[in-house]
Amino acid sequence: MTKTSFIAPSSLRQTFSDALSTMYRKEVPAYGTLLDIVADVNAGINPELAVDASRLGQERHGAIRVGTPHDLNTLSRAFAILGMEPVGYYDLSVAGLPIHSTAFRPVTTQALTANPFRMFTSLLRPELIDDKTLRSEVEKILSQRDIFSPNLIPLLDKAEAQGGLSNEEGEAFISAFLETFKWHDKAEVSLRTYEKLKAYHPLIADIVGFKGPHINHLTPRTLDIDKAQIAMKQQGLEAKSVIEGPPKRKCPILLRQTAFKALNEDILFENDGVWQSGHHTARFGEIEQRGAALTQKGRALYDQCLANKDFSEFPDDWTVLREQGLAFFQKTTSGYVPLTYEDFLPVSAAGIFRSNLGEDGDAIGLKAKSNQSAFEQALGRSVLDMFALYQAQTEVNLF
Ligand code: OOG
Ligand code: NI
């Protein structure tokens, strides 16, 4: 087969993102309501206000949590086929959560414009479980579980060996990969084991207790999160009271997010052939408003403002932001436009995790350090530096 007959990674990513959205809409009807609210709000706003309007309707991010280095490594290989690379290292142990994360996403302006789908992906750090008995139980359960469809691996090997996939192979790859993200209403562990995991931390029950890393939210991008949040409440979705990230501004920067509370869902647990019913809380709804990507200088100022809970020092004018080197801009025929922030914010992510793990999702006292090298070893490669990627984007002229 010649190289030209391979389906483009961006096209596979688009198909995957659409398929995941369709699946999640069926699984969580409130997600459909959220999409409608966001579409209405966006339609009522001048899209020129968007940092990048062309991609709006199809823009989503999802999140999953996996248990083993092998799982993360396979995900990294599979996302690469969709043109998604791991960007950034997020240490959630500082927030008392026994995980560390990255975001898989497209990295060039061209690929981002084609489809900007991203996946926030977290890996459990069992070494942070200080109860040794529980830790070995967790490791045993995880070692017996395969989160990937048997159809996926041969296609993945083939894609890597031949440098791409044909249309038909691409379709088979996507449907096999989609399996990994499905919801399972039957747990893989007994109710007793589930309760034990949950008592230690609900995040561990979520990662370890099921057949796979069900997608826990899929987030559309809105142009006005304040309006969308009001509409969420009007539609009876229990939105959180605070919006994570920077305050409302004339020139949006980074990322503002809000979520509705996770659903409490019915689950069946098996114990020696006897089924018991119980519940699990994992899936929630989230919306986000994306603004400009900040330079390292801009990010340092943002972090300082966040720590002081005072953003008055942060300029709110595009020209000033550009002249002071606080945000990234791209040159177009109509002048300079800010680059969209494509990544996540660890403080917001920690807040989102906490509010969606229910009342027991609080921090546990972790004597942890970040461990990017262990994460990268699991991943099988290093994560990319977001600032270098934004810099590279600014060097591409859009005309
Ligand atoms: C991921 C939470 C992080 C975001 O938007 O910051 C996230 C999770 O709950 O698994 O999605
Ligand atoms: Ni999210």
Side-chain angles (χ1 to χ4, degrees), residues 61 217 219 257 286 344:
H61 84 249
H217 66 286
T219 300
Q257 301 170 292
E286 182 190 62
F344 294 84

Side-chain angles (χ1 to χ4, degrees), residues 331-357:
K331 199 159 168 28
T332 67
T333 39
S334 53
Y336 286 95
V337 292
L339 277 184
T340 302
Y341 185 60
E342 308 290 350
D343 295 289
F344 294 84
L345 295 173
V347 175
S348 305
I352 289 159
F353 268 109
R354 260 199 303 277
S355 64
N356 290 296
L357 289 166

Side-chain angles (χ1 to χ4, degrees), residues 107-109 328 330 339 385-397:
V107 297
T108 63
T109 298
F328 285 104
Q330 199 162 28
L339 277 184
D385 171 33
M386 64 178 80
F387 295 105
L389 293 172
Y390 293 124
Q391 184 59 43
Q393 275 188 270
T394 64
E395 284 155 17
V396 179
N397 281 338

